[in-house]
Amino acid sequence: MVEVLEASGEALDRAALIIRRGGLVAFPTETVYGLGASVFNQEAVAKIFEVKKRPRFDPIIVHVSNPEQVEHLCSEVSKTAEKLIEKFWPGPLTLVLPKSDSVPYIVTAGLGTVAIRMPSHPIALELIRRSGTPIAAPSANLFGFLSPTTPQHVVEQLGEEIDLVIDGGRTPIGVESTVLDLSSKRPTLLRPGGLPLEEIEKVLGQKIGVSTISKKPSSPGQLPKHYSPRTPLKILRNHKKVETKGRIGLLAFKKPKHQIHFEVVEVLSSSGNLREAAYNLFSSLHKLDKAGLDLIYAEPIPETGLGRAIMDRLRKAEGIENPTNR
Ligand code: TXA
Ligand code: MG
C-alpha cells in the first residue's frame, strides 16, 4: 500500500525529493487532492496519465507557488490575465494561456496553450516551493470518476501506483478550480468551479462566454460523461416520477421535505448553503457510491455562485448531454 504521511516539514521534504526524482505525490489543494509530478520531467508526467488511465488528449494543469513563474511558462501574459492573477491568486482559478517552449507538449496534450493555477492551500504551496519546480497535477482519481476530497479517496482509487500521499485532511472547497480560457480574444469558461463566474465577470466588467460541454473537448472536463460514481445517477427533476424498484439513494440539496423513502440519504447542506454543498458534494457521492445502490437520485441545485459548478458535476455524472445554459 502507498505511504500516507501527515503533513509536516519532514513529510514535505520527502515529498519534494520524490517530485525532484521523477516520482508521483498526491497532495491536498483547497479544491480537491492533486496527483503531482515535476512539470519538466516528461517521464513522470507520462506516469500520471498511466496511473489515472487518462487519455493522452487531456491536458494537465500546472501549479505554481508564485505568480512570477507564469512568465517562464507562457509566451504571452495578457492584461486580462494579469488582472485576474492579481485579484484571484492564490485560489481556485485556472487560466489557459499561450504556452512557452519550456512546457513539454505531454503536459498540454499537444496544445499550444497551458493551464496554470496558484493554489491557496498552504501544503500545496509549500510542496511546490520545496520541489523547486512548478508541479503538473490533475485531480488524484481515476479518469472520469469522482474527484478525491480526502486522502482515503486517493488511496482507494490510486493506492498501489503512487509514491506518497500527503494527508492534509479534507479539502476546504470541495469542487475543482474554475477553468477560464484566455488564449483567444474573448475569455471563455471551460469549467465552472470553486471561483464563481459572477466574481470574474465583476472584475472584468463583461459577460463571459461559456463552453463547458463538448464531444471533442479542448478541456475533457467538458466531456458529457465525467466526474461519475460507478452507480448510475439521475437528476431528480420530478419528485412524482421517482423510480421505486431496487435500492435507491438520494443526494438531497437541503433537508428533504417530501416523504419518499430512500435507502440512503445524503444531505449536501441542511440550510441550503452552496458553499457547504460544494464542500460535501464529492464525499457524499463517494458514500452513496459505496452503499451498494442500484440508482442515485440527485436533487437539482440553484445555478448561481458555486451552484453552477455543482450542477455541472451532477450533469456530467448523469452523462446526458445538457449544455449548461447560463
Ligand atoms: O482544482 C483543480 O483544478 C484540481 C487541483 C488538483 O488543482 N485539478 C484538476 O485537474 O481538476 P484535472 O486534470 O482533473 O482537470 C483539469 C481540467 C481538465 O478538464 C483539462 O482538460 C483542463 O483542465 N485543461 C488543462 N489544460 C488545458 C488547456 N491547455 N486547455 C484547455 N483545458 C485545459
Ligand atoms: Mg479531474
Side-chain angles (χ1 to χ4, degrees):
M1 247 318 169
V2 61
E3 197 173 0
V4 181
L5 288 181
E6 227 166 273
S8 67
E10 227 171 279
L12 284 165
D13 280 338
R14 279 269 296 284
L17 190 65
I18 292 172
I19 298 271
R20 281 201 298 274
R21 290 187 176 160
L24 303 188
V25 174
F27 62 97
T29 79
E30 72 278 25
T31 57
V32 300
Y33 273 74
L35 179 62
S38 162
V39 71
F40 303 120
N41 185 323
Q42 305 200 35
E43 267 174 53
V45 175
K47 214 164 138 208
I48 291 183
F49 283 94
E50 270 163 42
V51 166
K52 276 189 58 104
K53 301 193 171 52
R54 181 180 178 110
R56 287 290 178 101
F57 63 74
D58 190 356
I60 297 178
I61 296 175
V62 180
H63 296 67
V64 298
S65 56
N66 185 324
E68 278 161 27
Q69 288 167 305
V70 171
E71 267 169 53
H72 180 55
L73 300 166
C74 297
S75 61
E76 201 192 314
V77 185
S78 63
K79 285 267 172 288
T80 306
E82 277 173 10
K83 205 170 178 180
L84 294 174
I85 287 171
E86 166 77 30
K87 184 78 192 167
F88 294 116
W89 281 12
L93 174 65
T94 296
L95 299 176
V96 174
L97 298 163
K99 86 183 226 357
S100 73
D101 292 340
S102 71
V103 181
Y105 275 112
I106 187 162
V107 174
T108 69
L111 297 175
T113 56
V114 60
I116 309 181
R117 88 177 189 96
M118 177 177 172
S120 64
H121 199 297
I123 296 172
L125 287 172
E126 197 51 34
L127 176 63
I128 302 164
R129 278 189 210 115
R130 292 187 190 205
S131 302
T133 170
I135 293 183
S139 50
N141 56 300
L142 290 168
F143 180 76
F145 289 104
L146 297 173
S147 291
T149 53
T150 65
Q152 291 73 32
H153 295 156
V154 179
V155 173
E156 282 161 20
Q157 291 198 46
L158 306 177
E160 302 297 321
E161 316 209 44
I162 60 184
D163 298 300
L164 180 65
V165 180
I166 298 283
D167 180 350
R170 239 175 107 173
T171 56
I173 293 181
V175 289
E176 301 86 342
S177 62
T178 301
V179 181
L180 188 69
D181 187 355
L182 295 180
S183 66
S184 51
K185 267 198 192 123
R186 300 198 45 205
T188 308
L189 181 77
L190 299 181
R191 179 177 73 181
L195 180 68
L197 184 59
E198 294 89 334
E199 291 194 31
I200 304 173
E201 290 180 333
K202 223 189 287 164
V203 167
L204 295 185
Q206 67 178 106
K207 284 272 170 203
I208 290 169
V210 175
S211 162
T212 57
I213 289 205
S214 160
K215 274 198 182 144
K216 264 185 89 188
S218 59
S219 180
Q222 295 170 295
L223 285 168
K225 179 128 178 106
H226 210 76
Y227 306 112
S228 308
R230 288 164 206 268
T231 315
L233 179 143
K234 267 192 202 167
I235 294 172
L236 184 51
R237 296 193 170 81
N238 183 347
H239 282 84
K240 291 190 184 119
K241 287 194 185 158
V242 170
E243 183 84 44
T244 49
K245 266 188 264 130
R247 283 173 56 83
I248 318 276
L250 178 69
L251 181 70
F253 173 40
K254 302 181 205 178
K255 220 180 172 107
K257 289 200 190 100
H258 54 76
Q259 297 296 316
I260 310 166
H261 173 75
F262 291 97
E263 210 74 41
V264 189
V265 178
E266 280 288 318
V267 179
L268 289 178
S269 165
S270 46
S271 65
N273 178 299
L274 290 171
R275 230 173 243 279
E276 189 183 10
Y279 175 71
N280 285 321
L281 176 68
F282 282 118
S283 34
S284 293
L285 282 170
H286 276 282
K287 276 189 210 154
L288 288 165
D289 205 19
K290 279 182 217 151
L293 301 168
D294 300 305
L295 179 67
I296 300 167
Y297 275 118
E299 286 181 350
I301 310 286
E303 289 194 62
T304 56
L306 288 176
R308 199 190 308 272
I310 300 173
M311 273 310 280
D312 173 81
R313 305 305 185 269
L314 292 177
R315 285 204 187 91
K316 284 170 183 160
E318 184 178 40
I320 291 172
E321 272 181 83
N322 191 350
T324 324
N325 294 315
R326 302 204 38 214

